[in-house]
Amino acid sequence: MEGKGIELNVGPVHPATHGVLKLVADIEGDTVKNAKVEIGFLHRGKEKIAELRYFNSYFPIVDKLDYVGALNWEILWASTVEKAMNLEINDRVKYIRAVMAEIQRIMSHLVYIGSFGQDLGNLTFFIWALRERELLMDIVEEISGGRLAPMYNRVGGVFYDFTDGIADKINAAISKIEEKVKKEYKAMTYGNSLFIMRSKGIGFMSQKVIKENGVTGPNMRASGIKRDLRKDEPYLVYDKVDFEIITENDSDVYARFMVRVREILESIKIIRQLLKDMPRGDTKISAPWIMKVPAGYTLVRHEMSKGEGAMFLVTDGGLKPYRLKIRSPSFYSLQALPLVLEGCKVADAFVITASMDPVMGEVDR
Amino acid sequence: MNEFADKLLKIFSNSSKAADDGAIELTDKKKLLKVVERIRKNFDILFMLTVVDKPPNFELNYVFSKYESKDILILRTLIKHEESVDSITNLFPSADWEEREAYDLFGIKFDGHPNLKRILLPEDWPGHPLRKDFVVTDEIKNWTGLDLKF
């Protein structure tokens, strides 16, 4: 280190880094000259575990990849194996999965909003966001029996059908959330002058940085790139619903926050449409619990709450995967983080980190 | 298979061929940078890099994607376990962490990578766990200094 600067280690265990992320920042005065990101503190060898397990027995492991967006990853894993086996699933399953994916997306974004408020020193907001998330948690619990790691999907379908009258409960819950997001959240965050002062004009992520580092999802859409796999490469039943791709143009922390807030409202729109035309039918097809998958390469990608998640499955015709590679969207967001942090104030560094929405479970795998 | 892949196969007809699943198989790994340079004109990012251990070879699956469309291109090449391969970070900066991960978990050396060190595992971890011949040795068992059960 030259000059008067100091090297500051933040993390791996620090309330502002959301899990076990470590930042090593060179600081001069109050400015971050450059920053390094260290990951791997939550590495559990999930890709190795995949090679040791039957296809259906891997679901509990997938659940803990992104622990605030478990259902999205479950659906991706189920879709990957189904594509590798050439299985066609029932229409009802597609609808159920799409509803669950959107519920999970709202929950994930609510956690983002809450923890973001916490990083700004506003604990009230954390409690509020979790209060709204609890409404959906109860619904997921009633349907699947689980909360954070529901274990709801299996190859060929889902474990349980929707319970009686659940559609009304979902509608009631999302209406309540819609109202809160539009009114209370506006007063507390995106319409609040203090919040705007703290978040506008910091943490710029240009389109060049995004394209060089492979950043996807809401972080990318906040810089004006209109891309959403749900629209561009429709899977499940996303081609049958009407929704917008949310974009913002400012590419700063406030824009990244706003994309999430508006995506919650968009997801609510999608859920309402899906519940209205949900078809009848079976919730699973008879696929054996332990089965052989034909040899080959399978690549499936879905739009997760944090960006484009993908699974590259290599099979050799046996009972277990030969190799599974997981593309985690947060991994790429963190790769771009040092470039975004360069030149910011130390006090802003944590807000910028939080605005990228990294979840270490899926980064470290 | 899409138009671009066909064009690519025509240009590099001596060193590449089409695989069953629509991927492009590169038979001459010395041509990697040249092919990737051509791909760079049409694709934005390295979407993911999947290494598959097929003893005595490693199979590298480069998946490229672009922001404006849903196009995807898979480039596949084989290298021997002890061989190194050219880094594509100069052409696709998004390959930085992916190549570090491949080095970390498989022990593949990428020539020309600016910062090739472990990313997920600790710096002094013995071995590369995603290799098929990986076994839990005493060195690994005692690595933490704690009495762990494996």
Side-chain angles (χ1 to χ4, degrees), chain A residues 141-272:
Chain A
E141 189 179 4
E142 186 176 329
I143 294 172
S144 72
R147 287 167 62 87
L148 208 61
M151 247 313 274
Y152 181 51
N153 288 273
R154 57 164 291 176
V155 175
V158 292
F159 272 108
Y160 317 105
D161 203 350
F162 274 5
T163 46
D164 294 336
I166 195 74
D168 296 336
K169 284 182 190 167
I170 296 174
N171 274 325
I174 56 177
S175 298
K176 199 167 176 187
I177 291 170
E178 188 179 22
E179 194 196 321
K180 297 265 185 199
V181 168
K182 279 185 177 162
K183 290 187 186 148
E184 281 185 13
Y185 286 28
K186 185 179 182 189
M188 197 70 151
T189 58
Y190 59 93
N192 183 318
S193 60
L194 277 173
F195 179 88
I196 293 172
M197 269 163 65
R198 278 302 304 277
S199 60
K200 259 214 164 126
I202 58 166
F204 286 109
M205 186 155 63
S206 63
Q207 293 201 357
K208 184 169 172 283
V209 170
I210 287 173
K211 288 188 174 172
E212 278 185 354
N213 289 287
V215 179
T216 48
N219 292 339
M220 168 193 72
R221 288 194 281 276
S223 300
I225 302 176
K226 203 167 184 182
R227 178 182 166 83
D228 191 324
L229 284 182
R230 287 176 291 172
K231 204 82 164 178
D232 297 337
E233 198 183 66
Y235 54 95
L236 295 176
V237 285
Y238 285 117
D239 49 345
K240 288 179 190 145
V241 287
D242 169 47
F243 67 101
E244 296 286 316
I245 301 177
I246 304 292
T247 51
E248 294 273 335
N249 292 317
D250 295 342
S251 58
D252 57 357
V253 169
Y254 184 76
R256 290 200 277 280
F257 186 88
M258 276 318 287
V259 166
R260 262 98 176 182
V261 169
R262 289 171 58 204
E263 275 192 5
I264 289 180
L265 300 175
E266 213 59 34
S267 290
I268 287 172
K269 220 169 93 186
I270 296 175
I271 294 175
R272 284 202 181 119

Side-chain angles (χ1 to χ4, degrees), chain A residues 38-328:
Chain A
E38 284 182 25
I39 61 168
F41 297 97
L42 203 61
H43 181 57
R44 292 149 293 175
K46 283 185 183 294
E47 289 173 4
K48 185 77 180 176
I49 296 172
E51 295 169 16
L52 309 171
R53 289 195 165 223
Y54 302 125
F55 290 91
N56 266 320
S57 315
Y58 193 58
F59 279 102
I61 311 289
V62 178
D63 268 342
K64 282 102 186 169
L65 267 171
D66 174 359
Y67 36 73
V68 295
L71 279 162
N72 285 325
W73 283 98
E74 268 184 32
I75 292 165
L76 175 59
W77 171 240
S79 307
T80 310
V81 181
E82 282 153 11
K83 191 180 170 194
M85 293 179 72
N86 247 329
L87 276 184
E88 187 58 43
I89 53 169
N90 294 336
D91 271 355
R92 186 171 174 83
V93 177
K94 287 183 188 166
Y95 272 83
I96 286 179
R97 280 185 181 167
V99 169
M100 295 307 265
E102 292 311 310
I103 287 179
Q104 186 75 72
R105 192 181 313 274
I106 297 176
M107 290 203 286
S108 170
H109 284 347
L110 282 173
V111 172
Y112 168 83
I113 292 172
S115 56
F116 192 82
Q118 190 197 14
D119 280 337
L120 290 171
N122 187 348
L123 199 62
T124 313
F125 207 69
F126 185 66
I127 311 286
W128 280 13
L130 256 60
R131 178 189 64 192
E132 265 74 75
R133 178 172 172 252
E134 192 61 28
L135 297 170
L136 294 175
M137 272 288 193
D138 286 343
I139 287 165
V140 172
E141 189 179 4
E142 186 176 329
I143 294 172
S144 72
R147 287 167 62 87
L148 208 61
M151 247 313 274
Y152 181 51
N153 288 273
R154 57 164 291 176
V155 175
V158 292
F159 272 108
Y160 317 105
D161 203 350
F162 274 5
T163 46
D164 294 336
I166 195 74
D168 296 336
K169 284 182 190 167
I170 296 174
N171 274 325
I174 56 177
S175 298
K176 199 167 176 187
I177 291 170
E178 188 179 22
E179 194 196 321
K180 297 265 185 199
V181 168
K182 279 185 177 162
K183 290 187 186 148
E184 281 185 13
Y185 286 28
K186 185 179 182 189
M188 197 70 151
T189 58
Y190 59 93
N192 183 318
S193 60
L194 277 173
F195 179 88
I196 293 172
M197 269 163 65
R198 278 302 304 277
S199 60
K200 259 214 164 126
I202 58 166
F204 286 109
M205 186 155 63
S206 63
Q207 293 201 357
K208 184 169 172 283
V209 170
I210 287 173
K211 288 188 174 172
E212 278 185 354
N213 289 287
V215 179
T216 48
N219 292 339
M220 168 193 72
R221 288 194 281 276
S223 300
I225 302 176
K226 203 167 184 182
R227 178 182 166 83
D228 191 324
L229 284 182
R230 287 176 291 172
K231 204 82 164 178
D232 297 337
E233 198 183 66
Y235 54 95
L236 295 176
V237 285
Y238 285 117
D239 49 345
K240 288 179 190 145
V241 287
D242 169 47
F243 67 101
E244 296 286 316
I245 301 177
I246 304 292
T247 51
E248 294 273 335
N249 292 317
D250 295 342
S251 58
D252 57 357
V253 169
Y254 184 76
R256 290 200 277 280
F257 186 88
M258 276 318 287
V259 166
R260 262 98 176 182
V261 169
R262 289 171 58 204
E263 275 192 5
I264 289 180
L265 300 175
E266 213 59 34
S267 290
I268 287 172
K269 220 169 93 186
I270 296 175
I271 294 175
R272 284 202 181 119
Q273 294 174 45
L274 290 172
L275 286 177
K276 213 183 278 171
D277 353 299
M278 183 163 293
R280 294 177 178 281
D282 286 333
T283 53
K284 54 190 148 198
I285 50 171
S286 60
W289 186 253
I290 296 172
M291 69 281 186
K292 284 185 174 162
V293 175
Y297 300 87
T298 317
L299 172 66
V300 177
R301 49 182 187 159
H302 283 180
E303 186 76 29
M304 305 280 145
S305 53
K306 288 160 191 69
E308 286 170 24
M311 282 185 175
F312 196 110
L313 177 69
V314 182
T315 41
D316 60 351
L319 293 167
K320 296 167 185 174
Y322 187 77
R323 165 91 168 105
L324 173 72
K325 163 82 182 176
I326 298 161
R327 182 200 201 261
S328 112

